[in-house]
Coordinates of all heavy atoms in Angstrom, one line a residue:
M555 N 0.8 -1.2 0.0 CA 0.0 0.0 0.0 C 0.9 1.3 0.0 O 0.6 2.2 -0.8 CB -0.9 -0.1 1.2 CG -1.8 1.2 1.4 SD -3.0 1.3 0.1 CE -4.1 2.4 0.9
Q556 N 1.9 1.3 0.9 CA 2.7 2.5 0.9 C 3.4 2.8 -0.4 O 3.6 3.9 -0.8 CB 3.8 2.3 2.0 CG 3.4 2.0 3.4 CD 3.5 0.5 3.6 OE1 2.5 -0.2 3.3 NE2 4.5 0.0 4.2
N557 N 3.8 1.7 -1.1 CA 4.5 1.9 -2.4 C 3.6 2.5 -3.4 O 4.0 3.3 -4.3 CB 5.1 0.6 -2.9 CG 6.3 0.1 -2.0 OD1 6.9 0.9 -1.3 ND2 6.5 -1.2 -1.9
L558 N 2.3 2.1 -3.4 CA 1.4 2.7 -4.3 C 1.2 4.2 -4.0 O 1.2 5.1 -5.0 CB 0.0 2.0 -4.2 CG -0.1 0.6 -4.7 CD1 -1.5 0.0 -4.4 CD2 0.2 0.5 -6.2
I559 N 1.1 4.6 -2.8 CA 1.0 6.0 -2.4 C 2.2 6.7 -2.8 O 2.1 7.8 -3.3 CB 0.6 6.1 -0.9 CG1 -0.8 5.6 -0.6 CG2 0.8 7.5 -0.4 CD1 -1.1 5.5 0.8
A560 N 3.4 6.2 -2.4 CA 4.6 6.8 -2.7 C 4.8 7.1 -4.2 O 5.2 8.1 -4.7 CB 5.8 6.0 -2.2
A561 N 4.5 6.1 -5.0 CA 4.6 6.2 -6.5 C 3.7 7.2 -7.0 O 4.1 8.0 -7.9 CB 4.4 4.8 -7.1
K562 N 2.4 7.2 -6.6 CA 1.4 8.2 -7.1 C 1.8 9.6 -6.7 O 1.7 10.5 -7.5 CB 0.1 7.8 -6.5 CG -1.0 8.7 -7.1 CD -1.1 8.5 -8.6 CE -2.2 9.3 -9.3 NZ -2.2 9.1 -10.7
L563 N 2.3 9.8 -5.5 CA 2.7 11.1 -5.1 C 3.9 11.6 -5.9 O 3.9 12.8 -6.4 CB 3.1 11.2 -3.6 CG 3.6 12.5 -3.1 CD1 2.5 13.6 -3.3 CD2 4.0 12.4 -1.7
K564 N 4.9 10.8 -6.1 CA 6.0 11.2 -6.9 C 5.6 11.5 -8.4 O 6.0 12.5 -8.9 CB 7.1 10.1 -6.9 CG 8.4 10.5 -7.5 CD 9.4 9.4 -7.2 CE 10.8 9.8 -7.6 NZ 11.8 8.8 -7.3
E565 N 4.7 10.7 -8.9 CA 4.2 10.9 -10.3 C 3.5 12.3 -10.3 O 3.7 13.1 -11.3 CB 3.2 9.8 -10.6 CG 2.5 10.0 -11.9 CD 1.4 8.9 -12.1 OE1 1.6 7.8 -11.7 OE2 0.4 9.3 -12.7
L566 N 2.6 12.6 -9.4 CA 1.8 13.8 -9.4 C 2.8 15.0 -9.2 O 2.6 16.0 -9.9 CB 0.8 13.8 -8.3 CG -0.4 12.9 -8.5 CD1 -1.2 12.8 -7.2 CD2 -1.3 13.4 -9.6
R567 N 3.7 14.9 -8.4 CA 4.7 16.0 -8.1 C 5.5 16.3 -9.4 O 5.6 17.5 -9.8 CB 5.6 15.6 -7.0 CG 6.7 16.6 -6.7 CD 7.6 16.3 -5.5 NE 8.3 15.1 -5.7 CZ 9.4 14.9 -6.4 NH1 9.9 16.0 -7.1 NH2 10.1 13.8 -6.5
K568 N 6.0 15.3 -10.1 CA 6.7 15.5 -11.3 C 5.9 16.0 -12.4 O 6.3 16.9 -13.2 CB 7.5 14.2 -11.7 CG 8.6 13.9 -10.7 CD 9.4 12.7 -11.2 CE 10.6 12.6 -10.2 NZ 11.7 11.8 -10.8
E569 N 4.6 15.5 -12.5 CA 3.7 16.0 -13.6 C 3.5 17.5 -13.4 O 3.2 18.2 -14.4 CB 2.4 15.2 -13.5 CG 2.4 13.9 -14.1 CD 1.1 13.2 -13.9 OE1 0.1 13.8 -13.4 OE2 1.0 12.0 -14.4
N570 N 3.5 17.9 -12.2 CA 3.3 19.3 -11.9 C 4.5 20.2 -11.8 O 4.5 21.3 -11.4 CB 2.4 19.5 -10.6 CG 1.0 19.0 -10.9 OD1 0.2 19.8 -11.3 ND2 0.7 17.8 -10.6
G571 N 5.7 19.6 -12.2 CA 6.9 20.3 -12.2 C 7.4 20.8 -10.9 O 8.0 21.9 -10.8
M572 N 7.1 20.0 -9.9 CA 7.5 20.5 -8.5 C 8.6 19.6 -8.0 O 8.8 18.4 -8.3 CB 6.3 20.3 -7.6 CG 5.1 21.1 -8.0 SD 3.6 20.6 -7.0 CE 4.0 21.4 -5.5
T573 N 9.5 20.3 -7.2 CA 10.5 19.6 -6.4 C 9.9 19.1 -5.1 O 8.7 19.5 -4.7 CB 11.7 20.5 -6.1 OG1 11.2 21.5 -5.2 CG2 12.3 21.1 -7.4
Q574 N 10.6 18.3 -4.3 CA 10.1 17.9 -3.0 C 10.0 19.2 -2.1 O 9.0 19.3 -1.3 CB 11.0 16.9 -2.4 CG 10.9 15.5 -3.0 CD 11.8 14.5 -2.4 OE1 12.9 14.9 -1.8 NE2 11.5 13.3 -2.5
V575 N 10.9 20.1 -2.3 CA 10.8 21.4 -1.5 C 9.5 22.1 -1.8 O 8.8 22.6 -0.9 CB 12.1 22.2 -1.7 CG1 11.9 23.6 -1.1 CG2 13.3 21.5 -1.2
D576 N 9.3 22.3 -3.1 CA 8.0 22.9 -3.6 C 6.8 22.3 -3.0 O 5.9 23.0 -2.5 CB 7.9 22.9 -5.1 CG 9.0 23.6 -5.8 OD1 9.5 24.6 -5.3 OD2 9.2 23.3 -7.0
L577 N 6.8 21.0 -3.0 CA 5.6 20.2 -2.5 C 5.4 20.4 -1.0 O 4.3 20.7 -0.6 CB 5.8 18.7 -2.8 CG 4.6 17.8 -2.3 CD1 3.3 18.3 -2.9 CD2 4.9 16.4 -2.7
A578 N 6.5 20.4 -0.3 CA 6.5 20.6 1.1 C 5.9 22.0 1.5 O 5.0 22.1 2.3 CB 7.8 20.4 1.8
M579 N 6.4 23.0 0.8 CA 6.0 24.4 1.0 C 4.5 24.6 0.7 O 3.8 25.2 1.4 CB 6.9 25.3 0.3 CG 8.3 25.4 0.9 SD 9.4 26.5 0.0 CE 8.5 28.0 0.0
K580 N 4.1 24.1 -0.5 CA 2.8 24.3 -1.0 C 1.7 23.5 -0.2 O 0.6 24.0 -0.1 CB 2.7 24.0 -2.5 CG 3.4 25.1 -3.3 CD 3.4 24.8 -4.8 CE 4.1 25.9 -5.5 NZ 4.0 25.7 -7.0
S581 N 2.1 22.4 0.3 CA 1.1 21.6 1.0 C 1.1 21.8 2.5 O 0.3 21.4 3.2 CB 1.4 20.1 0.7 OG 2.6 19.7 1.2
G582 N 2.2 22.5 3.0 CA 2.2 22.9 4.4 C 2.7 21.8 5.3 O 2.4 21.7 6.5
V583 N 3.5 20.9 4.8 CA 4.2 19.8 5.6 C 5.7 20.0 5.5 O 6.2 20.8 4.7 CB 3.8 18.4 5.1 CG1 2.3 18.2 5.2 CG2 4.2 18.1 3.7
G584 N 6.4 19.3 6.3 CA 7.9 19.4 6.3 C 8.5 18.6 5.1 O 7.9 17.6 4.6
L585 N 9.7 19.0 4.8 CA 10.4 18.4 3.7 C 10.7 16.9 4.1 O 10.6 16.0 3.2 CB 11.7 19.1 3.4 CG 12.6 18.5 2.3 CD1 11.9 18.4 1.0 CD2 13.9 19.4 2.2
N586 N 11.1 16.7 5.3 CA 11.4 15.3 5.7 C 10.2 14.4 5.6 O 10.3 13.2 5.2 CB 11.9 15.2 7.2 CG 13.3 15.7 7.3 OD1 14.1 15.6 6.3 ND2 13.7 16.2 8.4
F587 N 9.0 15.0 5.8 CA 7.8 14.2 5.7 C 7.6 13.8 4.2 O 7.3 12.6 3.9 CB 6.5 15.0 6.2 CG 5.3 14.2 6.0 CD1 4.9 13.2 7.0 CD2 4.4 14.4 4.9 CE1 3.8 12.5 6.8 CE2 3.3 13.6 4.8 CZ 2.9 12.7 5.7
V588 N 7.7 14.7 3.3 CA 7.6 14.5 1.9 C 8.6 13.4 1.4 O 8.2 12.4 0.7 CB 7.8 15.7 1.0 CG1 7.9 15.4 -0.5 CG2 6.7 16.7 1.3
R589 N 9.8 13.5 1.9 CA 10.9 12.5 1.5 C 10.5 11.1 2.0 O 10.6 10.2 1.3 CB 12.2 13.0 2.1 CG 12.8 14.1 1.3 CD 14.2 14.5 1.9 NE 14.7 15.6 1.1 CZ 15.6 16.4 1.5 NH1 16.0 16.4 2.8 NH2 16.1 17.4 0.7
E590 N 10.1 11.1 3.3 CA 9.7 9.8 3.9 C 8.5 9.2 3.2 O 8.4 8.0 2.9 CB 9.4 9.9 5.4 CG 10.7 10.2 6.2 CD 10.4 10.5 7.6 OE1 9.2 10.7 8.0 OE2 11.4 10.6 8.4
L591 N 7.5 10.0 2.8 CA 6.3 9.6 2.1 C 6.7 9.0 0.8 O 6.2 7.9 0.4 CB 5.3 10.7 2.0 CG 4.0 10.4 1.4 CD1 3.3 9.3 2.2 CD2 3.1 11.7 1.4
E592 N 7.5 9.7 0.0 CA 7.9 9.2 -1.3 C 8.8 8.0 -1.2 O 8.9 7.2 -2.2 CB 8.6 10.3 -2.1 CG 7.7 11.4 -2.6 CD 8.3 12.3 -3.7 OE1 9.5 12.1 -4.0 OE2 7.6 13.2 -4.1
Q593 N 9.4 7.8 -0.1 CA 10.3 6.6 0.1 C 9.4 5.4 0.6 O 9.9 4.3 0.7 CB 11.4 6.8 1.0 CG 12.4 7.8 0.5 CD 13.5 8.2 1.5 OE1 13.4 7.8 2.7 NE2 14.4 9.0 1.1
G594 N 8.1 5.6 0.8 CA 7.3 4.5 1.2 C 7.3 4.2 2.7 O 7.0 3.0 3.1
K595 N 7.7 5.1 3.5 CA 7.8 4.8 5.0 C 6.4 4.4 5.5 O 5.4 4.9 5.2 CB 8.2 6.1 5.7 CG 8.3 5.8 7.2 CD 8.8 7.1 8.0 CE 8.9 6.8 9.5 NZ 9.1 8.0 10.2
A596 N 6.4 3.3 6.2 CA 5.2 2.6 6.6 C 4.4 3.4 7.7 O 3.2 3.3 7.9 CB 5.5 1.2 7.1
T597 N 5.1 4.2 8.5 CA 4.5 4.9 9.6 C 4.5 6.4 9.3 O 5.5 7.1 9.7 CB 5.2 4.6 10.9 OG1 6.6 4.9 10.8 CG2 5.0 3.2 11.3
V598 N 3.5 6.9 8.7 CA 3.3 8.3 8.5 C 1.9 8.7 8.9 O 1.0 7.9 9.0 CB 3.5 8.7 7.0 CG1 4.9 8.5 6.5 CG2 2.5 8.0 6.1
R599 N 1.8 10.0 9.3 CA 0.5 10.5 9.7 C -0.5 10.6 8.5 O -0.2 11.3 7.6 CB 0.6 11.8 10.4 CG 1.3 11.7 11.8 CD 1.4 13.0 12.5 NE 0.1 13.8 12.4 CZ 0.1 15.0 12.9 NH1 1.1 15.6 13.4 NH2 -1.1 15.7 12.7
M600 N -1.6 9.9 8.6 CA -2.5 9.9 7.5 C -3.2 11.3 7.3 O -3.5 11.6 6.1 CB -3.6 8.9 7.7 CG -3.1 7.4 7.7 SD -2.2 7.0 6.2 CE -3.5 7.1 5.0
D601 N -3.3 12.1 8.3 CA -3.9 13.4 8.1 C -2.9 14.3 7.2 O -3.4 15.0 6.4 CB -4.2 14.1 9.4 CG -3.0 14.4 10.3 OD1 -2.1 13.5 10.3 OD2 -2.9 15.4 11.0
K602 N -1.6 14.1 7.4 CA -0.7 14.8 6.6 C -0.6 14.2 5.2 O -0.4 15.0 4.2 CB 0.7 14.8 7.2 CG 0.9 15.6 8.4 CD 2.3 15.7 8.9 CE 2.5 16.7 10.0 NZ 3.9 17.0 10.3
V603 N -0.8 12.9 5.0 CA -0.8 12.3 3.7 C -2.0 12.9 2.9 O -1.9 13.3 1.8 CB -0.9 10.8 3.8 CG1 -1.1 10.2 2.4 CG2 0.3 10.2 4.5
A604 N -3.1 13.0 3.6 CA -4.3 13.6 3.0 C -4.1 15.0 2.6 O -4.5 15.5 1.5 CB -5.5 13.4 3.9
Q605 N -3.4 15.8 3.5 CA -3.1 17.2 3.2 C -2.3 17.3 2.0 O -2.5 18.2 1.2 CB -2.4 17.7 4.5 CG -2.1 19.2 4.4 CD -1.4 19.6 5.7 OE1 -1.5 19.0 6.8 NE2 -0.7 20.7 5.6
V606 N -1.3 16.5 1.8 CA -0.4 16.6 0.6 C -1.2 16.2 -0.6 O -1.1 17.0 -1.6 CB 0.8 15.6 0.8 CG1 1.6 15.5 -0.5 CG2 1.7 16.1 1.9
F607 N -2.0 15.2 -0.6 CA -2.7 14.8 -1.8 C -3.8 15.8 -2.1 O -4.2 15.9 -3.3 CB -3.3 13.4 -1.6 CG -2.3 12.3 -2.1 CD1 -1.5 11.7 -1.1 CD2 -2.2 11.9 -3.4 CE1 -0.6 10.7 -1.5 CE2 -1.3 10.9 -3.8 CZ -0.5 10.4 -2.9
A608 N -4.4 16.5 -1.2 CA -5.4 17.5 -1.4 C -4.9 18.6 -2.3 O -5.6 19.2 -3.1 CB -5.9 18.1 -0.1
L609 N -3.6 18.8 -2.3 CA -3.0 19.8 -3.2 C -3.3 19.5 -4.6 O -3.4 20.4 -5.5 CB -1.5 19.9 -2.9 CG -0.7 21.0 -3.7 CD1 -1.1 22.4 -3.3 CD2 0.8 20.8 -3.5
F610 N -3.4 18.2 -4.9 CA -3.6 17.8 -6.3 C -5.1 17.4 -6.5 O -5.4 16.7 -7.5 CB -2.7 16.6 -6.6 CG -1.2 16.9 -6.5 CD1 -0.5 16.3 -5.4 CD2 -0.6 17.7 -7.3 CE1 0.8 16.6 -5.2 CE2 0.8 18.0 -7.2 CZ 1.5 17.4 -6.1
D611 N -5.9 17.8 -5.6 CA -7.4 17.4 -5.7 C -7.6 15.9 -5.6 O -8.5 15.4 -6.3 CB -8.0 18.0 -6.9 CG -8.1 19.5 -6.9 OD1 -8.3 20.1 -5.8 OD2 -8.0 20.2 -8.0
Y612 N -6.8 15.2 -4.8 CA -7.0 13.8 -4.5 C -7.5 13.7 -3.1 O -7.1 14.5 -2.2 CB -5.7 13.0 -4.7 CG -5.4 12.6 -6.1 CD1 -5.1 13.6 -7.1 CD2 -5.5 11.3 -6.5 CE1 -4.8 13.2 -8.4 CE2 -5.3 10.9 -7.8 CZ -4.9 11.9 -8.7 OH -4.6 11.5 -10.0
E613 N -8.2 12.6 -2.8 CA -8.6 12.3 -1.4 C -8.3 10.9 -1.1 O -8.3 10.0 -2.0 CB -10.0 12.7 -1.1 CG -11.0 11.9 -1.9 CD -12.5 12.3 -1.6 OE1 -12.7 13.3 -0.9 OE2 -13.4 11.7 -2.2
L614 N -8.1 10.6 0.1 CA -7.8 9.2 0.5 C -9.2 8.6 1.0 O -9.9 9.2 1.7 CB -6.9 9.1 1.7 CG -5.5 9.7 1.4 CD1 -4.6 9.7 2.7 CD2 -4.8 9.0 0.3
V615 N -9.5 7.5 0.4 CA -10.7 6.8 0.8 C -10.5 5.3 1.1 O -9.6 4.7 0.5 CB -11.8 6.9 -0.4 CG1 -12.2 8.3 -0.6 CG2 -11.2 6.3 -1.6
P616 N -11.3 4.8 2.0 CA -11.1 3.3 2.3 C -11.6 2.5 1.1 O -12.6 2.9 0.5 CB -12.0 3.1 3.5 CG -12.9 4.3 3.6 CD -12.2 5.4 2.9
Q617 N -10.9 1.5 0.8 CA -11.2 0.7 -0.4 C -10.8 -0.7 -0.1 O -9.8 -1.0 0.5 CB -10.4 1.2 -1.6 CG -10.7 0.4 -2.9 CD -10.0 1.0 -4.1 OE1 -9.7 2.2 -4.1 NE2 -9.6 0.1 -5.0
K618 N -11.6 -1.6 -0.6 CA -11.3 -3.0 -0.4 C -10.0 -3.3 -1.2 O -9.8 -2.8 -2.2 CB -12.5 -3.9 -1.0 CG -12.3 -5.3 -0.6 CD -13.6 -6.1 -1.0 CE -13.4 -7.5 -0.6 NZ -14.5 -8.1 0.0
K619 N -9.2 -4.2 -0.6 CA -7.9 -4.6 -1.3 C -8.2 -5.1 -2.7 O -9.1 -5.8 -3.0 CB -7.2 -5.7 -0.5 CG -6.6 -5.2 0.7 CD -5.8 -6.3 1.4 CE -5.0 -5.8 2.5 NZ -4.1 -6.9 3.1
L620 N -7.3 -4.6 -3.6 CA -7.3 -5.1 -4.9 C -6.7 -6.5 -5.0 O -5.8 -6.8 -4.3 CB -6.5 -4.2 -5.8 CG -7.0 -2.7 -5.8 CD1 -6.0 -1.8 -6.6 CD2 -8.4 -2.6 -6.3
D621 N -7.2 -7.3 -5.9 CA -6.7 -8.7 -6.1 C -5.3 -8.5 -6.7 O -5.0 -7.6 -7.5 CB -7.5 -9.5 -7.1 CG -8.8 -9.9 -6.5 OD1 -8.9 -9.9 -5.3 OD2 -9.8 -10.1 -7.3
K622 N -4.4 -9.4 -6.3 CA -3.0 -9.3 -6.8 C -2.8 -10.2 -7.9 O -3.4 -11.2 -8.2 CB -2.1 -9.7 -5.7 CG -2.0 -8.7 -4.6 CD -1.0 -9.0 -3.5 CE -1.0 -7.9 -2.5 NZ 0.1 -8.1 -1.5

């Protein structure tokens, strides 16, 4: 799950021509948080994850696991 979130965030950030510093500043979280999130750290605050994704008009929703 973390890797999907990390990959999507990195993709959105690059599509929008932003650096990690830009993303941290515009979303109101710390640079270390952005770095850890993009690296797929398993223990991050979900409210901050939602805050970062809101910048791109995304929201986090509960969803049944996808088949592998």
Side-chain angles (χ1 to χ4, degrees):
M555 175 70 160
Q556 305 93 278
N557 290 335
L558 292 174
I559 291 173
K562 186 62 179 180
L563 178 60
K564 192 171 187 176
E565 174 187 323
L566 289 168
R567 178 177 62 77
K568 289 187 175 199
E569 282 177 2
N570 287 276
M572 300 169 75
T573 65
Q574 289 181 334
V575 172
D576 295 333
L577 179 57
M579 289 177 55
K580 290 181 180 183
S581 64
V583 300
L585 178 57
N586 284 336
F587 180 82
V588 170
R589 287 180 176 156
E590 290 174 350
L591 184 55
E592 284 195 2
Q593 291 172 358
K595 182 179 178 188
T597 55
V598 292
R599 287 185 42 189
M600 293 307 290
D601 61 325
K602 286 189 174 190
V603 175
Q605 183 177 338
V606 171
F607 274 93
L609 182 66
F610 302 109
D611 292 326
Y612 276 72
E613 62 182 5
L614 302 178
V615 295
Q617 179 179 331
K618 190 171 181 137
K619 285 186 174 183
L620 303 174
D621 290 336
K622 291 185 179 189

